[in-house]
């Protein structure tokens, strides 16, 4: 018995030793899988231990990890469209094996041939049947399927100058800036040499409520690399980059990419515009996944290509997605795009967003330097169907609320709260931007760039400009010189002054402007939100009926006009106005204006008495009080030196104006009430483009009102296409005291031209417009029926050149080609009626510079 016990003990010892050796030889292998040629990481590659059912897949960044049993030593990498690779593993030693996979040319050729034979069909196609299941289950897989959702969101966006050559980096001008450059694998997006230029991080708590719908983002911390505000509007720059790099939500029908909407591969109409292919079934995960590839039916349309990984658990959720675009897509300046979406299963059984990465590179050409940016959004700490107090959801839906002191968090704070560590490219951006601005040569470069792009030259306390108004000419003033400037925040954050002086060599008269502004929120009067009071006096000329957008009236380029352009005004205007903007983009403006107006050129102010005698009126005096209310929810813009450049989105803009004339106060000669309302909105139609629609109406209450105080409808006699004017209407041609108008600009985004072989390579885009105006003039304000008011302007034959609208509306339309050389829009404009008026044209060609993605 003793011997038996000894034998059993020895046997157990041998067994334990054998098992120990076996376990000791279990091997952990990890690494990164990349494309041999491009160097880009390959997501969702199948990794399997040969001879077993043990396997894994690489994540969205191409990383994989696998445990190999002791008795196995070979792992295999397979990926649709690539040659399979087998690698030997050294047992018992944890090791890193990085894999470079090459494209299978034979498979690629087969795919290409199949596409050219047009054998693809939606009918009885299992890939299309699967995507329709995904579409059918979209509603239950979205966040809105829950009554309440909350989560923590961390996001970072970094931008760099990209694809810089070694010779560029080694130029003498960059001798002191070598610390800024970052080197990387030359095959990666952005090229070998990068110059980091911008960085922002944001940590938020997001609260969603289904009914009533509210999505509130409470910003707990916000940090960005900031440039000197004398050169750049940092807040506007941030808004612009966020407009380019918006959230990528695959469950929406349309996804915003660089201000354009691309159809989601799981949109309701996706099977009409995409081709779908089942590439693989991933059985190494639970639930099983189907890899579903997709490509656009037309490569130049606003569509993605890429792959989806769909769960086979009956929910048909998207677990991972990889999106890119075809090189032939009709997107401007887009050299590369890559979006990776990762989802993880929550406690409710649904897949919630885990991480979204959007990288885009913009450039003028394939080999030129560019701008590479990447936005990463990470989500965690989801809480489902837990209601919060109403105060959490209070306020407009989808509003971002920044907590107090959110921008004053230090480095130690960010090190503790970041969901993801900063990579080598991002790590030193904050410090480098601060250092860069201390280098004199960089500040000189920014100074020159500001002069060329914004038109101002800074001298510290003051800046001089805008330079494009220093010289111009017109029929009344002849050769005109102007010089002006304004103070900066270096002088004060409270007080701002602006002035200019101009002289016309033909009329031999001085014009000038002077204003003083007091900021009530201790911010620049060019920084959102406005809150200031301003007083100004201006003596200058003006064309009646010309209303420009984002352009100075004495801009040199506007000196060139068509037709008769010799009816002008001399104005002496004293104005006081109070302006207040709120954080929700509601604003109001209260003003007082007193002006004296004299006709200039061949324009005359005249009345006709009962005997028909014409009497000249040398001057019109007016006193006016005004109120403007404006609401622009979710408005985005870039604040330049002169104007805000709007970043148009889906949200409408509402504007209401009320002006009242006060007779007898400070020489005011007229009583009236002028009410106008304007609504502007962009409508998106997915693959069919979008339309900008503006409706406006106005009514003036009062009697015996002279025509300069009525609505002189916006006309355009330049050769540029103006969006908010009638491009074939002459100055002073139509006058109304009540009116309504509609303006539709429809951009097809190349939807038609993309189907024409000879045109699609040019990436041209179609645009059509329609402008209609209906209105009239009541008898008490019509000089043809009321002799006590100013008669309409007349020509050399004493015939009126101004008219009231009759029952027929004024209508003009255009068809145009946009995106010529990526920046020019050319329109053929037609005027449909009132063609018997003197000096009008039925047809015209107008051009407009339009830089758009």
């Amino acid at each position: 018995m003793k011997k038996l016990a000894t034998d059993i003990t020895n046997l157990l010892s041998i067994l334990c030793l054998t098992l120990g050796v076996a376990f000791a030889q279990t091997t952990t292998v990890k690494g990164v899988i990349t494309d041999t040629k491009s160097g880009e990481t390959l997501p969702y590659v199948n990794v399997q231990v040969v001879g077993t059912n043990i396997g894994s897949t690489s994540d969205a960044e191409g990383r994989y990890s696998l445990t190999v049993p002791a008795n196995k030593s070979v792992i295999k990498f397979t990926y649709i469209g690539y040659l399979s690779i087998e690698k030997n593993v050294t047992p018992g030693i944890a090791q890193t094996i990085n894999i470079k996979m090459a494209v299978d040319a034979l498979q690629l050729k087969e795919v290409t041939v199949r596409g050219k034979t047009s054998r693809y069909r939606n009918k009885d196609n299992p890939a299309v049947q699967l995507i329709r299941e995904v579409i059918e289950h979209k509603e239950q897989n979205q966040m809105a399927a829950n009554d309440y959702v909350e989560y923590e969101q961390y996001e970072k966006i970094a931008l760099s100058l990209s694809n810089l050559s070694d010779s560029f980096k080694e130029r003498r001008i960059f001798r002191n800036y070598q610390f800024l450059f970052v080197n990387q694998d030359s095959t990666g997006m952005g090229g070998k040499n990068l110059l980091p230029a911008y960085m922002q991080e944001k940590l938020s708590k997001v609260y969603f409520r289904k009914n009533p719908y509210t999505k509130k983002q409470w910003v707990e911390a916000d940090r960005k690399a900031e440039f000197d505000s004398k050169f750049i509007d940092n807040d506007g720059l941030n808004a612009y980059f966020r407009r380019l790099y918006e959230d990528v939500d695959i469950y929406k029908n349309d996804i915003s990419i660089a201000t354009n909407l691309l159809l989601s591969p799981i949109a309701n109409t996706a099977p009409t515009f995409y081709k779908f292919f089942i590439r693989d079934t991933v059985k190494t995960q639970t639930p099983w996944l189907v890899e579903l590839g997709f490509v656009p039916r037309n490569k130049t349309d606003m569509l993605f290509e890429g792959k989806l990984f769909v769960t086979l658990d009956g929910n048909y959720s998207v677990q991972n997605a990889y999106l890119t675009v075809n090189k032939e897509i009709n997107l401007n300046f887009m050299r590369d795009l890559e979006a990776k979406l990762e989802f993880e299963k929550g406690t409710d059984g649904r897949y919630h967003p885990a991480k979204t990465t959007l990288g885009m590179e913009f450039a003028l050409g394939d080999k030129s330097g560019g701008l590479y940016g990447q936005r990463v959004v990470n989500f965690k700490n989801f809480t489902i169907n837990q209601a919060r107090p109403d105060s959490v959801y209070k306020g407009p839906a989808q509003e971002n609320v920044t907590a107090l002191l959110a921008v004053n968090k230090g480095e130690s704070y960010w090190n503790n709260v970041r969901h993801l560590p900063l990579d080598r490219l991002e790590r030193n951006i904050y410090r480098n931007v601060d250092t860069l601005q201390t280098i004199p040569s960089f500040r000189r470069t920014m100074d020159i760039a500001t002069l060329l792009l914004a038109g101002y030259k800074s001298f510290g306390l003051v800046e001089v400009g805008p330079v494009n108004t220093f010289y111009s000419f017109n029929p009344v003033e002849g050769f005109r010189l102007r010089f002006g400037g304004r103070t900066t925040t270096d002088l004060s954050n409270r007080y701002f002054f602006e002035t200019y002086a101009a002289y016309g060599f033909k009329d031999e008269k001085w014009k000038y402007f002077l204003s003083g502004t007091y900021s009530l929120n201790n911010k620049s009067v060019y920084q959102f939100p406005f809150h200031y009071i301003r007083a100004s006096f201006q003596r200058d000329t003006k064309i009646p009926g010309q209303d420009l957008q984002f352009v100075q009236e004495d801009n040199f380029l506007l000196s060139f006009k068509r037709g008769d352009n010799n009816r002008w005004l001399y104005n002496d205007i004293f104005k006081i106005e109070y302006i207040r903007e709120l954080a929700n983009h509601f604003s109001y403006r209260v003003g007082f204006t007193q002006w004296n107006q004299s006709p200039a050129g061949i324009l005359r102010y005249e009345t006709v008495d009962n005997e028909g005698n014409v009497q000249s009126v040398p001057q019109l005096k007016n006193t006016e009080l005004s109120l403007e209310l404006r609401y622009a929810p979710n408005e985005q813009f870039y604040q330049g030196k002169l104007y805000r450049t709007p970043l148009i989105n889906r949200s409408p803009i509402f504007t209401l104006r009320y002006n009242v004339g006060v007779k007898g106060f400070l020489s005011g000669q007229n009583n009236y009430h002028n009410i106008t309302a304007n609504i502007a909105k962009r409508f998106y139609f997915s693959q069919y483009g979008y339309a900008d629609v503006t409706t406006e109406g106005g009514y003036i209450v009062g009697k015996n009102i002279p025509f300069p105080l009525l609505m002189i409808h916006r006309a355009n006699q330049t050769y540029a296409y103006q969006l908010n004017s009638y491009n074939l209407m002459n100055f002073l041609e139509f006058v109304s005291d009540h009116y309504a108008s509609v303006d539709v600009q429809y951009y097809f985004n190349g939807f038609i031209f993309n189907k024409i072989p000879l045109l699609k390579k040019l990436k041209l885009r179609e645009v059509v417009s329609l402008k209609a105006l209906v209105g009239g003039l009541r008898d008490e304000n019509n000089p043809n029926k009321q002799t006590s008011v100013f008669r309409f302007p007349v020509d050399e034959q004493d015939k009126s050149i101004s008219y009231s609208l009759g029952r027929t509306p004024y209508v003009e339309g255009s068809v145009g080609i946009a995106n010529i050389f990526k920046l020019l829009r050319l329109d053929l404009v037609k005027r449909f009626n009132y063609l018997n008026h003197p000096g009008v044209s039925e047809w015209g060609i107008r051009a407009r510079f339009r830089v758009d993605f």
Side-chain angles (χ1 to χ4, degrees), residues 613-683:
N613 298 316
V614 177
Q615 298 179 344
S616 177
V617 179
Q619 196 173 62
L620 173 64
K621 298 182 179 181
N622 195 62
T623 302
E624 185 177 86
L625 302 176
S626 62
L627 171 67
E628 178 182 290
L629 305 178
R630 184 176 183 273
Y631 182 48
N634 304 311
E635 183 179 33
Q636 297 171 297
F637 52 81
Y638 178 83
Q639 177 66 57
K641 289 285 187 180
L642 288 171
Y643 303 102
R644 285 179 173 175
T645 301
L647 309 176
I648 302 175
N649 53 32
R650 296 175 179 269
S651 301
I653 299 175
F654 306 91
T655 306
L656 178 67
R657 299 183 183 93
Y658 172 57
N659 298 340
V660 54
V662 185
K663 185 176 182 179
F665 180 55
L666 295 180
S667 303
Q669 298 173 336
N670 295 274
N671 284 322
Y672 59 86
H673 301 269
N674 186 345
I675 303 172
T676 61
N678 181 292
I679 302 175
K681 178 172 171 53
R682 173 167 290 183
F683 295 89

Side-chain angles (χ1 to χ4, degrees), residues 489 493-496 517-521 523-534 639 644:
T489 52
N493 282 329
R494 289 283 189 183
Y495 301 95
F496 296 86
T517 306
Y518 179 72
S519 174
L520 297 170
N521 59 2
K523 290 185 177 182
S524 167
V525 293
Y526 306 104
Q527 181 178 350
F528 177 84
F530 293 165
H531 190 197
Y532 62 78
I533 186 168
R534 171 180 289 167
Q639 177 66 57
R644 285 179 173 175

Side-chain angles (χ1 to χ4, degrees), residues 566-583:
N566 52 10
R567 292 173 177 83
W568 286 58
L569 299 172
Y570 288 117
N571 286 319
D572 288 352
I573 303 175
F574 173 72
K575 182 181 293 186
I576 299 176
E577 51 187 349
Y578 169 76
I579 299 174
R580 176 73 185 275
E581 288 183 329
L582 303 180

Side-chain angles (χ1 to χ4, degrees), residues 312-590:
L312 294 182
D313 57 356
N315 290 319
Y316 298 99
S317 303
V318 176
Q319 190 198 61
N320 291 283
Y322 174 80
L323 310 177
T324 185
V325 293
N326 193 278
K327 297 296 184 183
E328 298 181 26
I329 191 173
N330 197 341
L331 275 175
N332 287 338
F333 316 115
M334 179 76 72
R335 185 156 60 194
D336 209 349
L337 178 146
E338 186 176 74
K340 300 175 183 178
L341 314 179
E342 301 175 39
F343 298 81
E344 61 182 14
K345 195 170 186 178
T347 57
D348 60 347
R350 296 187 177 91
Y351 282 83
H352 305 294
K355 182 182 176 183
T356 300
T357 304
L358 173 61
M360 292 189 291
E361 186 180 22
F362 303 95
L364 295 177
D366 291 337
K367 297 182 179 180
S368 65
L371 177 69
Y372 168 64
Q374 184 185 74
R375 180 171 181 246
V376 180
V377 185
N378 199 75
F379 310 87
K380 71 177 185 179
N381 299 335
F382 277 85
T383 302
I384 305 299
N385 290 331
Q386 182 174 330
R388 297 297 183 185
D390 287 342
S391 58
V392 173
Y393 309 102
K394 189 177 180 180
Q398 296 183 331
E399 181 183 354
N400 293 350
V401 181
T402 303
L404 294 176
L405 303 179
V407 297
N408 297 326
K409 306 294 188 180
E411 183 64 34
S412 59
Y413 172 86
W414 283 102
N415 288 336
N416 291 326
V417 302
R418 282 191 187 102
H419 293 193
L420 306 167
L422 299 182
D423 61 27
R424 189 166 61 95
L425 177 68
E426 303 160 342
R427 202 170 297 136
N428 297 322
I429 293 182
Y430 294 116
R431 184 186 62 196
N432 289 349
V433 169
D434 291 340
T435 303
L436 190 63
Q437 295 180 90
T438 65
I439 300 176
S441 59
F442 173 78
R443 297 187 67 83
R444 286 194 299 269
T445 302
M446 292 297 293
D447 209 20
I448 295 172
T450 303
L451 177 65
L452 295 176
L453 298 177
Y456 277 90
K457 173 68 174 72
S458 177
F459 293 94
L461 300 180
V462 298
E463 54 187 9
V464 175
V467 295
N468 56 15
T469 64
F470 284 177
Y471 164 67
S472 61
F473 57 90
N474 61 69
V476 173
E477 298 176 276
F479 173 53
R480 170 183 166 121
L481 291 180
R482 167 177 153 167
F483 185 79
R486 63 190 183 184
T487 63
T488 69
T489 52
D490 285 353
L491 177 67
S492 173
N493 282 329
R494 289 283 189 183
Y495 301 95
F496 296 86
F497 301 96
E498 185 174 0
T499 186
Y500 71 77
Y503 184 77
F505 285 80
K506 182 176 180 180
D507 64 356
E508 298 181 343
K509 290 185 177 183
W510 283 96
K511 294 87 182 174
Y512 53 87
F513 171 79
L514 176 65
S515 75
T517 306
Y518 179 72
S519 174
L520 297 170
N521 59 2
N522 202 30
K523 290 185 177 182
S524 167
V525 293
Y526 306 104
Q527 181 178 350
F528 177 84
F530 293 165
H531 190 197
Y532 62 78
I533 186 168
R534 171 180 289 167
S536 64
F537 180 80
Q538 182 182 43
R539 170 171 288 181
D540 211 336
T541 57
K542 180 177 174 60
I543 301 176
Q546 177 171 270
D547 187 6
L548 300 173
Q549 240 182 347
F550 315 123
V551 181
Q552 293 278 328
E553 292 198 10
D554 47 3
N555 187 301
F556 170 73
L557 295 177
L558 295 183
S559 300
F560 303 93
K561 290 184 171 66
R562 61 177 178 85
D564 183 6
N565 178 36
N566 52 10
R567 292 173 177 83
W568 286 58
L569 299 172
Y570 288 117
N571 286 319
D572 288 352
I573 303 175
F574 173 72
K575 182 181 293 186
I576 299 176
E577 51 187 349
Y578 169 76
I579 299 174
R580 176 73 185 275
E581 288 183 329
L582 303 180
N584 63 354
H585 293 279
F586 174 80
S587 64
Y588 55 91
R589 180 190 301 253
V590 180

